[in-house]
Amino acid sequence: MSSPGRTEHLVLDGVLTAEEAARTVAGILAAQRADGAIPWFRGHHLDPWDHTEAAMALDAAGEHEAAERAYTWLARHQNQDGSWYAAYADRPDGVDTAEPQDASRESNFTAYIAVGVWHHYLSTGDDTFLDRMWPAVYAAVECVLTLQQPGGEIGWKREADGTAVTDALLTGSSSIHQALRCALAIAEHREEPQPDWELAAGALRHAIRRHPERFLDKNHYSMDWYYPVLGGALTGSEAKARIDERWDEFVVPDLGVRCVLPNPWVTGGESCELALALWATGESDRALEILRSITHLRADNGMYWTGYVFQDRAVWPVEQTTWTAGSLLLAVAALGGDEATTQVFGGTELPAGLEPDCCR
């Protein structure tokens, strides 16, 4: 088991020194509430996906107790149908409630617990934790799969009244693909095979790889460009070809990755996720180039500004989010060889799912 505060693999030339990494970790810890919840920043809301991303960064830094408290918060506030709400209000320390700000339930937000739980287990080897979290992971996956469509794609969400939104988002479904693979790894480790999940993951992978028409057209967002690679649905030459195809559209040299075309706005989260996707395809040099390009987003306190409007030379929005810092730490951890992070994002150790025989 790793020791608390371990940051040696978070040192990356031109990106983070040991002292800088420790300050970033401390910034996330400072934002975490006493009940374990991790809002975007104190006074702002939290959502289950970004909460989990920040918790994963804490595990990558060896802060396992803090990460476990984050997952315990999720288990404690899971809805009866296995979901979580899309957004929760921040609360003062000592007030352990989960007041929804947005009572819809997004499928990729719900699925992501599987990624975080498996990452925590790989970071700690704690079987007791995995046993305790398995019911929450199982319920979350079963909930998400009620939104899977006949073509394999996953519907976006359920409205607050329970109405299913069957339109599918490529980014969200790609994230769910990664989550299903992590859930299958947990099930395999527990010797509780889930053949229906394998079939669901395979059908989803096939939809992502071969049927872009089954998803809403959001191709002006950079996430739709790289997420099929980041989520593990595209690998090898297919992944590299996808990244190369639109590199010049989204990557702004020395500044980072645009969030959405044609806006002159680069964002830290998208830049770090692209770096992770590049690392997963074996392109560590380009991943390092991207991470070095966003050092201008680092604030004096060790946190990172969400984005920068380069046309106006202005930070925007004026906020430092735990998930931006978290994505940076995870990308650095992958390049630094952190075993748990490389397994979760590298994909080679995760079950692939079963694509339909006619589609492989």
Side-chain angles (χ1 to χ4, degrees), residues 2 10 48 75 140 161 169 182 328 355:
S2 304
L10 297 179
D161 65 1
L169 301 174
C182 289
L328 185 283
E355 284 194 65

Side-chain angles (χ1 to χ4, degrees), residues 244-259:
D244 289 344
E245 182 180 15
R246 304 192 70 187
W247 181 271
D248 291 338
E249 293 180 65
F250 287 112
V251 177
V252 183
D254 300 320
L255 289 179
V257 177
R258 292 178 191 255
C259 177

